[in-house]
Amino acid sequence: MSRIERTAEGAGPFTTRLTWRLGDGGTAVWESRRARKRGLLTVRAAGDSGSRSRRADHASVGRLRRLNAIAAIAFTVGGGLFAAGAAVAQFGPGDATGAWIYFVGGLFFNTGGYASLLQAVNAPRQTNGIGALAARPWRWWSYEPGRIDWLSTFVLFVGTLVFGVNLLSSLLQGLSTQQVNRLIWAPDMVGCTLFLISGHLALVEVCHGRPGIRAGDLGWWIVAVNQLGSVLFMVAAVADFTRPTTASVVNVDIADWGTLAGALCFSAGGVLQYFERP
């Protein structure tokens, strides 16, 4: 049984869906996110009105389930801690406690970001065989910028690391206004920008091109909720800039409430992500 035609879909240099029309009239469809998250591809035999899913091997499925659980729990807990930190900053007695809560939440975001990257690195790939996904040897790292899933998760992970610089610096005392903006605010802006870029790439991946609405797709809801959280984080970061002339924050309330709402989005996205598994 041989392939007679292959159709690729995606955006720019990225391929997010491949459809093979087979010599016997059937089809096999590989989708980047579905293969990476659920370990599945879609096959339809000649003459069949419906399609069925074909699962990757047992080892790959177990690996994807474990990584997905780690990432989902990490983002759920990390988002919850960020929301708690914002609540303490808004209603609590001082900033010190909130800063430590943010810092611990950031460690969970680091974990979730790296687990997401590992899921992309170790996802089963389409093979030269018909309707099958091939397992890969376990790897802790790869460099594959031509794959949109790898690039999206890599940018996300780097964003969590940049946030770590911001959160660690926020624990320091006695900083000048210039130091606050350079060590805390600037990394915060960079991290938010990277989150937005990662979210856009994830939307392109799940939509197979120009971002749109896919209300019936759980993956789309996860990406959309997380992207909303990234937007709210960016709004909060802009409002958290300290004016050099007055040493006052642009708007403390917007900074705290934007962070709280954005964190709740990531926590909700983590809960939803737990169900997007093999």
Side-chain angles (χ1 to χ4, degrees), residues 12 31 37 44 69 83-84 116 169 179 194 198-199 213 224 247 250 255 277:
E31 294 179 290
K37 290 289 188 178
R44 178 181 295 175
S116 299
S169 299
Q179 289 174 323
L194 292 174
S198 172
I213 297 176
V250 171
R277 62 184 188 271

Side-chain angles (χ1 to χ4, degrees), residues 57-241:
D57 62 284
H58 180 74
S60 295
V61 167
R63 179 186 297 169
L64 293 180
R65 289 181 69 92
R66 288 189 295 272
L67 289 173
N68 183 74
I70 293 171
I73 292 171
F75 282 122
T76 301
V77 176
L81 288 171
F82 262 62
V88 169
Q90 181 70 13
F91 304 110
D95 294 336
T97 301
W100 277 105
I101 295 174
Y102 280 138
F103 180 74
V104 176
L107 296 179
F108 279 94
F109 270 94
N110 294 153
T111 302
Y114 185 52
S116 299
L117 178 60
L118 285 177
Q119 199 171 26
V121 168
N122 294 287
R125 308 295 172 87
Q126 72 271 24
T127 69
N128 290 328
I130 298 303
L133 290 172
R136 308 191 69 196
W138 174 265
R139 293 187 295 174
W140 292 101
W141 166 253
S142 70
Y143 182 70
E144 302 172 86
R147 289 177 49 211
I148 194 169
D149 55 340
W150 182 92
L151 189 60
S152 175
T153 54
F154 174 73
V155 172
L156 173 68
F157 177 52
V158 173
T160 67
L161 296 180
V162 175
F163 273 133
V165 175
N166 154 269
L167 298 171
L168 185 61
S169 299
S170 67
L171 299 176
L172 301 176
Q173 301 295 321
L175 296 178
S176 66
T177 299
Q178 290 75 17
Q179 289 174 323
V180 167
N181 285 333
R182 185 174 68 251
L183 299 177
I184 299 177
W185 181 80
D188 193 15
M189 288 293 294
V190 173
C192 290
T193 301
L194 292 174
F195 268 40
L196 286 170
I197 294 172
S198 172
H200 177 74
L201 291 172
L203 279 172
V204 170
E205 180 191 20
V206 78
C207 294
H208 307 295
R210 180 178 298 178
I213 297 176
R214 303 287 189 275
D217 187 340
L218 175 61
W220 180 87
W221 279 106
I222 295 169
V223 173
V225 169
N226 286 336
Q227 187 69 335
L228 175 60
S230 298
V231 171
L232 291 168
F233 272 6
M234 176 61 80
V235 171
V238 172
D240 203 36
F241 178 75

Side-chain angles (χ1 to χ4, degrees), residues 5-66:
E5 181 184 349
R6 186 177 82 165
T7 303
E9 298 174 69
F14 304 114
T15 299
T16 62
R17 180 161 55 197
L18 289 170
T19 301
W20 290 281
R21 303 191 185 280
L22 311 178
D24 64 350
T27 60
V29 181
W30 168 88
E31 294 179 290
S32 174
R33 188 177 181 94
R34 194 162 189 257
R36 171 167 58 94
K37 290 289 188 178
R38 297 184 181 273
L40 297 174
L41 53 72
T42 304
V43 294
R44 178 181 295 175
D48 287 352
S49 59
S51 59
R52 58 191 175 87
S53 298
R54 182 166 295 176
R55 181 172 294 181
D57 62 284
H58 180 74
S60 295
V61 167
R63 179 186 297 169
L64 293 180
R65 289 181 69 92
R66 288 189 295 272

